[in-house]
Amino acid sequence: MRTLRRQQVRLPGTVDSTPIYLHGVTVAGKRRDVFFVTTTYGKTLAVDAASGKLLWSYTPPGYASWAGSYRVANMPPAADPSRRYVYAGAPDGKIRKLAVANGHAVWATAVTRLPEREKLAAGLNVDRGHVIAATDGYVGDQPPYQGHVAVLDAASGRIVSVWNSLCSDRHALIDPASCPESGSAVWARSGVVVEPGSHRLLFATSNGRFDGGTYWGDSVVELTPDATALTRHWTPAEYQHLEDADLDLGSTGPALLPGGFLVQGGKDGKLRLLRLSRLAGANARTGGEVQTVPTPGGTDLFSEPFVRGDLVFVADAAGTDAWRFRGGRLRKAWGNGTAGTSPLAAGGLLYVYDPNGGLAVYAPATGKLVARLDAGAGHWQSPVVADGRIALGEGNANDHAQSGILDIWRLP
């Protein structure tokens, strides 16, 4: 680990999200290992993992009209299972299918009717020929906007279905001003989670009205695989307090645990252990969590918990914790005071980026610090680790920069 060498790759934009990695794909006529990133203003870039060379760059039409403005996107790209395409979002509210070989756009589909208010921040997901995207609002939550889930056909880009977390009785993209309520963003780093086996869709919403009928603010929501109907939900009994105090439940997403359990964080400094089978149907029932424990600092959680085996890793601005899940309960395994974004376990090690600067590497079972790699300050980034390489962006979307750095560590 201490022999890794760091390369700082300068890019035409800030990567305030997570890179993805494809091994042995053909790009620019040659078989390569490649990192793909999307910048905060929507440029998607292919970077040679061996050299740091920029292989291609895709710039969405209209880029100059929003570059440098408040309209940023934190959505990381996602790879198609064929490894021939990547999917990426931009501040124009469109998801694009880009060819891995050269960055050419195959299709572009708008998943909002008001990109000036509805933002793309949550991660994309790809499942069984569908691309799954979600929307939220920009800093300040200026109305009108509604968090919603859009399912696209991966081959054509056609919208298959839409589920609106406010005005959920309307099953299409809507003019946000036409719904009486605003908010209920879906903006967790993990985006919409696909449950193994059932392929149902699971995610959390943020501040917004809740009534158990057509308004689903501050809730964990489960949808049918095609996103046409709500199957179950969990809403905390104190949902009104969360909304009134700007303590979004959906600042993080649900993390699945063995045995049909999940853990859900939020801006109120709590982690709730939930059981899927005990979630309520389409009604106004609230509460019913199995267990509640604090986030590392009892503070806002903006990162995504990472589950590996029976361990749950969680990091926030005040520290990093590990919880062991056994017997249907969470028990503290270890913790420290080092801040972090979304943790990643890979190759028998745990990687946690400190947004103040530095990438900590721990022994997962004990929390012993194995190494600390130099890295600049950031925001919501988390690393990708594969084939003896690590990639991590630097910088903060809220600085509105149009340049940035991608750190790549390799063995000499």
Side-chain angles (χ1 to χ4, degrees):
M1 180 61 64
R2 299 183 189 281
T3 62
L4 289 173
R5 297 290 182 266
R6 175 191 179 200
Q7 179 186 16
Q8 292 182 290
V9 180
R10 299 195 175 276
L11 300 177
T14 300
V15 179
D16 193 350
S17 60
T18 304
I20 63 171
Y21 175 82
L22 290 178
H23 170 77
V25 291
T26 300
V27 180
K30 183 179 177 181
R31 192 174 178 84
R32 314 167 189 264
D33 299 336
V34 183
F35 292 114
F36 297 89
V37 297
T38 300
T39 71
T40 55
Y41 289 117
K43 290 187 177 184
T44 297
L45 315 168
V47 179
D48 191 304
S51 67
K53 179 182 177 181
L54 184 62
L55 300 173
W56 56 253
S57 174
Y58 174 82
T59 302
Y63 176 87
S65 67
W66 63 73
S69 76
Y70 73 94
R71 289 173 60 185
V72 296
N74 305 93
M75 177 180 280
D80 187 85
S82 70
R83 296 164 25 98
R84 295 176 56 205
Y85 306 100
V86 294
Y87 303 96
D92 60 356
K94 292 182 179 180
I95 306 299
R96 290 176 171 85
K97 182 177 185 177
L98 305 176
V100 162
N102 52 26
H104 289 177
V106 178
W107 52 252
T109 300
V111 294
T112 171
R113 294 191 183 280
L114 189 63
E116 295 82 5
R117 286 287 179 263
E118 294 186 337
K119 178 185 176 184
L120 302 182
L124 289 166
N125 210 332
V126 182
D127 182 56
R128 299 190 302 174
H130 290 152
V131 180
I132 306 162
T135 65
D136 65 300
Y138 290 98
V139 172
D141 291 319
Q142 291 297 311
Y145 77 88
Q146 290 85 34
H148 58 267
V149 173
V151 177
L152 285 65
D153 178 74
S156 66
R158 175 181 61 89
I159 292 181
V160 175
S161 59
V162 176
W163 189 84
N164 295 292
S165 65
L166 300 173
C167 292
S168 66
D169 55 336
R170 300 171 63 183
H171 302 288
L173 293 182
I174 62 176
D175 175 356
S178 69
C179 181
E181 298 290 330
S182 181
S184 194
V186 182
W187 60 294
R189 305 291 81 229
S190 57
V192 178
V193 176
V194 178
E195 297 176 28
S198 72
H199 295 272
R200 290 180 177 179
L201 308 182
L202 192 68
F203 56 95
T205 65
S206 298
N207 298 333
R209 182 181 171 186
F210 169 78
D211 70 356
T214 56
Y215 301 112
W216 301 95
D218 283 309
S219 298
V220 173
V221 174
E222 183 191 68
L223 303 179
T224 55
D226 58 3
T228 56
L230 180 145
T231 52
R232 295 182 288 198
H233 78 96
W234 175 81
T235 306
E238 65 274 25
Y239 68 87
Q240 191 61 54
H241 168 68
L242 298 185
E243 179 177 5
D244 294 343
D246 188 25
L247 296 174
D248 307 41
L249 184 75
S251 64
T252 187
L256 296 172
L257 296 169
F261 288 83
L262 65 98
V263 64
Q264 175 64 45
K267 283 169 66 176
D268 63 350
K270 297 177 182 178
L271 289 171
R272 281 92 164 185
L273 179 66
L274 309 175
R275 191 164 194 167
L276 274 169
S277 62
R278 294 184 185 176
L279 303 189
N283 57 50
R285 196 181 88 196
T286 63
E289 53 268 43
V290 176
Q291 182 186 7
T292 301
V293 299
T295 59
T299 186
D300 313 47
L301 188 67
F302 296 105
S303 61
E304 183 63 20
F306 189 95
V307 178
R308 175 58 56 91
D310 65 353
L311 285 170
V312 183
F313 304 103
V314 185
D316 63 18
T320 302
D321 285 350
W323 295 84
R324 195 171 296 278
F325 178 65
R326 285 182 180 170
R329 306 290 289 183
L330 293 168
R331 294 172 173 82
K332 185 75 168 287
W334 56 264
N336 62 42
T338 302
T341 60
S342 302
L344 170 71
L349 295 170
L350 178 69
Y351 298 82
V352 184
Y353 173 54
D354 181 347
N356 301 303
L359 178 62
V361 186
Y362 301 104
T366 64
K368 179 182 177 181
L369 184 67
V370 175
R372 186 173 177 87
L373 305 177
D374 289 338
H379 184 219
W380 281 348
Q381 294 91 341
S382 54
V384 63
V385 180
D387 291 345
R389 305 179 179 107
I390 306 168
L392 174 72
E394 296 183 3
N396 188 326
N398 298 321
D399 291 337
H400 307 297
Q402 296 180 57
S403 62
I405 288 175
L406 179 72
D407 289 320
I408 302 177
W409 290 268
R410 309 180 193 84
L411 294 170

